[in-house]
């Protein structure tokens, strides 16, 4: 009887240990940070990513989401992912060019004809090779999501031609391609994080900024700007990255689940952006923003394309540009 009780007790202990292990496994959570607010499609797609990931791993992995720069600005979060204190992060491709200079090709003004061209490049061999170059820096490039085609807003006057940008203090990110382009146009580029931009516009520390309309809306930048021009001077993707050591430590099945879920969520977000654009225009018009209709972007392209391409070629050669141009024909 005592032997039976001891065996039963041992079995019970083993069962509890197994249950605890399974529960711990089911509650594995990855910290995922990004700068966009909860109202942006980035956050909506992050929730979709989480749902897909839980589904594909039977609840073994889930995401804890940290929007609105909760974990710091893009550079802070990238450093944290590399160091292993944050598991995943997403931010615009320009934030990674200090690690992989070839990523600057994405931000050459007017290099993409349209969304289809951009998706062909990013989802194909070129994009995957660019992502793979992050491996050497402690990052696993998981997927390209979307910031979108960039427009230009300011508080001074309508921008209908390149000369209208001259003299304006323009917020840019750290992207050397955009800094160069706006310098060519005679503006004063002022790099700063998105989290600081609203206050800078409100206090007139800068006059203007350039973002896709979705960010202008979700970050409420329209409240401190007056004019919007669809310059479409660049297309910016987001890059979703994960700490490479943590990714490599997972089983192949879990690795595949993370990549597949992230890529599916990215395509979902792209469609959301496309569906939302016209509605955002109408809302911003009601809020008092004046839009420049039927803007001819050709003079803007002519003004900056040659010099920005040359700057990239001098540093990285012309192979990537030729490949991207070929896909756009």
């Amino acid at each position: 009887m005592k032997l039976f009780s001891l065996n039963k007790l041992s079995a019970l202990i083993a069962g509890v240990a197994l249950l605890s292990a399974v529960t711990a496994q089911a509650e594995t959570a990855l910290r995922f940070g990004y700068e966009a607010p909860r109202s942006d499609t980035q956050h909506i797609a992050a929730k979709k990513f989480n749902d897909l990931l839980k589904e594909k791993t039977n609840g073994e992995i889930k995401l804890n989401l940290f929007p609105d720069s909760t974990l710091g600005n893009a550079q802070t979060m990238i450093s944290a992912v590399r160091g292993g204190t944050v598991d995943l992060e997403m931010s615009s491709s320009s934030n990674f060019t200090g690690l992989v200079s070839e990523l600057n090709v994405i931000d050459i003004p007017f290099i993409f004809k349209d969304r289809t061209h951009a998706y062909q490049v990013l989802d194909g061999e070129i994009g995957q090779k660019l992502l793979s170059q992050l491996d050497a820096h402690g990052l696993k490039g998981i997927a390209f999501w979307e910031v979108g085609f960039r427009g230009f807003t300011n508080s001074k006057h309508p921008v209908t031609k390149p000369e209208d940008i001259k003299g304006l203090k323009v917020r840019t990110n750290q992207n050397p391609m955009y800094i160069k382009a706006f310098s060519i146009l005679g503006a004063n580029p002022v790099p700063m994080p998105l989290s600081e931009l609203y206050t800078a516009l409100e206090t007139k520390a800068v006059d203007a900024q350039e973002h896709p309309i979705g960010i202008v809306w979700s970050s409420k930048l329209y409240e401190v700007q007056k004019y919007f021009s669809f310059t479409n001077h660049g297309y910016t993707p987001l890059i979703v990255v994960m700490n490479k050591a943590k990714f490599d430590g997972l089983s192949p099945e879990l690795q595949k689940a993370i990549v597949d879920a992230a890529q599916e969520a990215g395509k979902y977000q792209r469609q959301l952006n496309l569906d939302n654009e016209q509605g955002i225009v109408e809302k911003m018009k009601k809020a008092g923003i004046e839009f420049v209709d039927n803007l001819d972007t050709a003079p803007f392209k002519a003004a900056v394309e040659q010099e920005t391409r040359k700057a990239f070629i001098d540093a990285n050669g012309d192979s990537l540009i030729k490949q991207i141009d070929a896909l756009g024909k």
Side-chain angles (χ1 to χ4, degrees):
M1 187 70 174
K2 288 182 180 178
L3 181 60
F4 174 77
S5 298
L6 287 172
N7 289 340
K8 188 174 181 180
L9 180 61
S10 296
L12 180 61
I13 291 171
V16 169
L18 179 61
L19 179 61
S20 298
V22 171
T23 301
Q25 185 182 55
E27 293 178 350
T28 298
L30 302 175
R31 287 157 56 89
F32 182 25
Y34 39 98
E35 291 184 305
R38 294 176 184 274
S39 56
D40 195 82
T41 61
Q42 293 180 37
H43 181 62
I44 297 169
K47 292 193 290 184
K48 179 74 168 178
F49 181 16
N50 188 29
D51 291 342
L52 289 167
L53 188 55
K54 288 189 290 186
E55 177 186 325
K56 291 176 183 294
T57 65
N58 294 316
E60 187 171 340
I61 295 179
K62 68 176 183 179
L63 302 175
N64 285 339
L65 306 179
F66 295 89
D68 208 17
S69 301
T70 306
L71 301 181
N73 62 38
Q75 293 301 331
T76 299
M77 287 188 285
I78 290 169
S79 294
V81 174
R82 295 179 71 193
T85 58
V86 174
D87 301 303
L88 295 110
E89 184 268 353
M90 67 173 165
S91 53
S92 68
S93 58
S94 59
N95 288 300
F96 298 90
T97 57
L99 300 175
V100 178
S101 64
E102 288 88 346
L103 280 167
N104 280 306
V105 75
I106 294 171
D107 295 312
I108 293 174
F110 301 100
I111 195 164
F112 295 120
K113 291 172 57 178
D114 50 30
R115 275 185 162 96
T116 299
H117 183 202
Y119 300 160
Q120 282 181 306
V121 171
L122 299 173
D123 297 341
E125 184 178 346
I126 297 171
Q128 297 315 300
K129 282 185 176 179
L130 289 171
L131 289 182
S132 70
Q133 292 185 55
L134 292 167
D135 289 1
H137 304 281
L139 298 170
K140 172 63 180 178
I142 303 294
F144 285 106
W145 288 16
E146 182 171 83
V147 183
F149 273 100
R150 306 179 81 89
F152 188 90
T153 73
N154 80 102
S155 58
K156 297 291 188 181
H157 50 249
V159 169
T160 62
K161 56 187 182 300
E163 292 77 12
D164 294 331
I165 292 177
K166 186 175 183 180
L168 294 177
K169 291 176 289 184
V170 182
R171 180 274 177 187
T172 67
N173 52 32
Q174 296 289 342
N175 181 342
M177 292 290 103
Y178 291 166
I179 292 171
K180 185 168 187 62
F182 283 105
S183 296
I184 292 168
L185 294 172
N188 178 19
V190 183
M192 70 174 64
L194 176 62
S195 59
E196 299 174 13
L197 179 53
Y198 186 100
T199 300
L201 293 169
E202 185 178 36
T203 60
K204 309 298 183 184
V206 293
D207 306 307
Q209 64 84 46
E210 44 87 40
H211 266 109
I213 193 169
I215 294 290
V216 177
W217 175 254
S218 65
S219 298
K220 301 184 184 299
L221 303 179
Y222 62 89
E223 294 179 348
V224 285
Q225 294 282 266
K226 180 64 177 175
Y227 306 97
F228 190 110
S229 298
F230 281 106
T231 48
N232 292 340
H233 53 276
Y235 173 86
T236 302
L238 293 159
I239 299 181
V240 179
V241 294
M242 183 171 174
N243 175 271
K244 189 172 188 304
K246 189 149 196 170
F247 182 87
D248 289 345
L250 297 173
S251 69
E253 293 77 16
L254 292 180
Q255 291 178 356
K256 185 176 187 302
I258 290 172
V259 172
D260 288 351
Q263 291 180 352
E264 286 180 41
K267 290 177 181 177
Y268 169 79
Q269 189 230 2
R270 288 172 179 175
Q271 189 61 48
L272 275 180
N273 286 341
L274 192 59
D275 294 343
N276 289 347
E277 273 190 9
Q278 190 53 46
I280 291 174
V281 169
E282 296 306 317
K283 291 174 185 176
M284 284 174 56
K285 283 181 177 178
K286 288 180 181 178
I289 292 292
E290 296 182 20
F291 283 82
V292 175
D293 296 321
N294 302 315
L295 180 69
D296 181 7
T297 61
F300 294 86
K301 180 178 180 180
V304 303
E305 184 179 42
Q306 184 175 347
E307 286 192 49
T308 52
R309 284 186 170 225
K310 182 180 184 302
F312 178 85
I313 291 169
D314 288 346
N316 303 284
D318 63 358
S319 177
L320 277 172
I321 291 178
K322 287 180 177 179
Q323 292 175 55
I324 291 173
D325 287 346
L327 285 176
K329 291 180 179 177

